[in-house]
């Protein structure tokens, strides 16, 4: 079977001791690609190095840590993304985070930064990977107003109405390997057509097991999704992999 991890963070320190083995395990597990999301200027540079080492297998999506982003950092990420645009497959994760950020003023301050990245993705004609936590509705509204390109709502955990909005807009959702523990995610998985679903790990986070998460675990998400939809895992693996290759423009069907 062929799998694709549509969102992970391979540059993080959790992988410093065994990054090559983690990537080798992913390849052995049948992954034909993974998109690693950088989360700031330092992370961006580390990610360039990792991607260079695994051409055709590891791809770079340039983003931030939404809840901790400052205007100065956003500006640096914009400059780097423009400079290395030819080596980047998407802008993100970027978005709105109301889970960690509770203050109304601080929440509002995220909007111009998100808009900056929406404009960047438009300018570079790249798809967007969106982090919207407890702010799915607000993020969807900004995207509808300002963005024409392809959108992936990563780790989507929003209510049913927003899942429907995502489906109607032709956007995609990624399900983490442990998605079946969350009601909203199970509902989104059933509501969206399979052609708008992808699998991710968000490794090292959101582990479906007790340990650290890693790309090879997309297999577990695939199995859970197949079970939920009453489909063969082979079919789920094939369609979600094709979706990711198409979304990130990696020569998919
Ligand atoms: Zn992430």
């Amino acid at each position: 079977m062929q799998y694709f991890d549509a969102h992970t963070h391979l540059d993080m320190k959790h992988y410093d001791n065994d990054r090559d083995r983690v990537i080798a395990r992913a390849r052995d597990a049948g992954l034909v690609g993974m998109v690693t999301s950088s989360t700031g200027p330092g992370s961006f540079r580390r990610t360039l190095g990792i991607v260079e080492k695994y051409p055709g297998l590891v791809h770079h999506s340039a983003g931030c840590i939404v809840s901790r982003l400052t205007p100065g950092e956003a500006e640096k990420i914009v400059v780097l993304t423009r400079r290395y645009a030819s080596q980047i497959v998407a802008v993100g994760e970027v978005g709105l985070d109301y889970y960690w950020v509770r203050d109304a003023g601080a929440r509002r301050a995220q909007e111009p930064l998100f808009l900056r990245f929406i404009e960047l993705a438009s300018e570079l004609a790249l798809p967007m990977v969106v982090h919207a936590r407890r702010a799915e509705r607000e993020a969807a509204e900004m995207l509808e107003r300002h963005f024409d390109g392809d959108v992936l709502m990563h780790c989507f955990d929003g209510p049913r109405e927003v899942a429907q909005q995502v489906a109607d807009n032709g956007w995609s959702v990624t399900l983490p390997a442990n998605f079946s523990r969350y009601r909203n995610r199970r509902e989104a998985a059933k509501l969206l057509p399979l052609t708008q679903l992808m699998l991710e790990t968000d490794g090292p986070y959101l582990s479906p097991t007790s340990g650290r998460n890693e790309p090879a675990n997309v297999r577990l998400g695939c199995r859970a999704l197949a079970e939920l939809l009453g489909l063969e895992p082979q079919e789920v693996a094939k369609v979600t992999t094709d979706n990711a290759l198409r979304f990130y423009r990696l020569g998919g069907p």
Side-chain angles (χ1 to χ4, degrees):
M1 281 201 259
Q2 293 197 332
Y3 301 97
F4 195 106
D5 185 350
H7 181 91
T8 181
H9 299 281
L10 290 172
D11 74 295
M12 287 198 173
K13 60 178 188 305
H14 310 67
Y15 300 119
D16 278 353
N17 293 326
D18 62 349
R19 185 167 292 109
D20 291 324
R21 281 198 298 270
V22 165
I23 294 169
R25 264 202 297 281
R27 205 199 300 253
D28 291 346
L31 273 77
V32 295
M34 51 205 111
V35 171
T36 183
S37 179
S38 61
T39 52
S43 167
F44 190 107
R45 295 197 176 280
R46 284 195 297 278
T47 300
L48 286 178
I50 297 168
V51 167
E52 203 172 58
K53 210 169 160 189
Y54 294 96
L57 182 67
V58 181
H59 309 278
H60 184 183
S61 169
C64 64
I65 297 175
V66 174
S67 59
R68 287 194 237 143
L69 184 66
T70 62
E73 200 181 43
E75 224 28 66
K76 284 184 195 156
I77 297 167
V78 168
V79 168
L80 284 167
T81 305
R82 280 204 185 112
R83 190 175 304 156
Y84 293 96
S86 66
Q87 295 164 53
I88 283 163
V89 295
V91 171
E93 59 189 281
V94 295
L96 301 174
D97 191 309
Y98 289 3
Y99 178 82
W100 294 111
V101 180
R102 302 289 166 93
D103 174 72
R107 284 179 172 180
R108 259 196 313 279
Q110 296 179 11
E111 289 181 16
L113 303 183
F114 185 27
L115 191 57
R116 189 87 177 89
F117 287 120
I118 291 175
E119 286 166 357
L120 180 69
S122 303
E123 173 196 317
L124 300 175
L126 287 171
M128 292 193 79
V129 178
V130 175
H131 166 109
R133 200 163 178 204
R134 300 270 165 89
E136 293 84 0
R137 215 180 294 274
E138 292 82 353
E141 199 180 296
M142 281 186 69
L143 288 161
E144 282 180 354
R145 199 172 317 157
H146 301 287
F147 192 60
D148 284 331
D150 292 332
V151 173
L152 171 59
M153 303 293 278
H154 121 81
C155 272
F156 181 80
D157 196 22
R160 198 182 162 77
E161 314 84 74
V162 186
Q164 187 63 57
Q165 203 177 341
V166 168
D168 293 345
N169 285 332
W171 299 342
S172 300
V173 157
T174 29
L175 300 164
N178 69 354
F179 83 92
S180 58
R181 294 180 197 162
Y182 302 88
R183 190 173 53 90
N184 281 345
R185 290 181 176 141
R186 285 196 306 272
E187 284 203 356
K190 285 191 279 189
L191 188 145
L192 272 95
L194 187 57
T195 49
Q196 283 167 257
L197 295 177
M198 298 176 216
L199 302 173
E200 71 163 282
T201 59
D202 206 16
Y205 309 116
L206 302 183
S207 186
T209 63
S210 55
R212 171 193 66 174
N213 202 359
E214 63 175 66
N217 285 338
V218 284
R219 284 175 304 176
L220 303 177
C222 178
R223 213 178 299 157
L225 182 57
E227 210 168 288
L228 182 78
L229 300 179
L231 297 171
E232 291 301 320
Q234 286 85 342
E235 186 183 356
V236 171
K238 179 175 181 1
V239 176
T240 53
T241 296
D242 287 350
N243 295 344
L245 293 170
R246 200 173 55 240
F247 177 81
Y248 288 117
R249 300 166 196 163
L250 296 169

